[in-house]
Amino acid sequence: MKRSTVLWRFRRNPLRRRSYAVEGFALLTLGAVAIAGAALTGLAVSRCVDAMYAQQRQDRHTVTAVLDEDADSDAAYAAPSWARVHWPLPGGGSATGTARVGSGLRRGERTTIWLDGRGRPAAEPLSPSTGRLQATVAGAAAGLGICAGALIGGGIAAAALERRRIGRWATEWAQVGPRWDHRNA
């Protein structure tokens, strides 16, 4: 694309209206802000989500629990199921809760469950690579959201400028048009 066609809004021309330059500068500024904002927002969200997953990996730990009831057994689908379990507490005694356990386990069998920092059953923390992947996806989604917002905002601003420009053209044509209309002369 030639330089003259890309920057046509900024060239000197007697037919160029001021609104063309305003629209050009507004869209240029909006694009620069959107790109910078998307990059910074994406980076911030990615770091925040990655730090959250790292905190989960640090806080969560495994403990051996005993099933208080049989776990669901589905031969066609061997995914973990929920069952009531109890586990020993560090200071003595035991705690009871519902946790994900292997499919087909029976009452009284031992299994390993994950606990959060408060001692409640929790999901296994994500591995570092999976956490980074999810953090990257969340950051990219946030950045795309910023870009989409800027695109919508730019479209609204361009439509408002176009509406104003058409109104001015109509006003000017109402003044000049009768001089050009020879049918009514």
Side-chain angles (χ1 to χ4, degrees):
M1 194 178 271
K2 293 189 329 188
R3 178 185 164 110
S4 61
T5 59
V6 172
L7 300 175
W8 70 270
R9 284 186 169 104
F10 305 110
R11 288 187 306 183
R12 295 215 177 268
N13 184 335
L15 298 177
R16 184 196 72 157
R17 295 178 179 267
R18 185 174 182 196
S19 64
Y20 294 143
V22 169
E23 182 180 358
F25 281 119
L27 293 177
L28 187 65
T29 303
L30 184 67
V33 168
I35 289 171
L40 292 174
T41 301
L43 186 61
V45 167
S46 178
R47 285 185 176 177
C48 186
V49 170
D50 195 32
M52 178 188 69
Y53 288 139
Q55 185 66 36
Q56 284 181 358
R57 282 189 295 276
Q58 183 180 358
D59 287 347
R60 295 185 181 176
H61 61 281
T62 59
V63 67
T64 301
V66 179
L67 271 74
D68 292 336
E69 63 186 15
D70 293 345
D72 292 336
S73 177
D74 188 1
Y77 188 66
S81 59
W82 293 92
R84 191 139 187 89
V85 296
H86 68 272
W87 60 93
L89 294 175
S94 67
T96 304
T98 303
R100 291 194 88 161
V101 297
S103 179
L105 292 176
R106 299 286 171 225
R107 181 181 176 154
E109 289 188 47
R110 294 185 181 278
T111 187
T112 302
I113 63 168
W114 284 89
L115 299 178
D116 63 11
R118 297 182 197 165
R120 297 178 302 192
E124 179 179 357
L126 297 177
S127 68
S129 60
T130 304
R132 274 192 301 275
L133 175 66
Q134 286 197 6
T136 302
V137 169
L144 286 175
I146 295 291
C147 286
L151 184 64
I152 291 169
I156 291 171
L161 287 170
E162 185 68 22
R163 206 171 35 247
R164 186 172 180 205
R165 188 180 307 131
I166 288 173
R168 285 188 176 178
W169 281 347
T171 303
E172 290 175 9
W173 184 251
Q175 295 171 355
V176 176
R179 288 188 247 157
W180 289 12
D181 189 6
H182 297 292
R183 288 177 284 178
N184 296 333

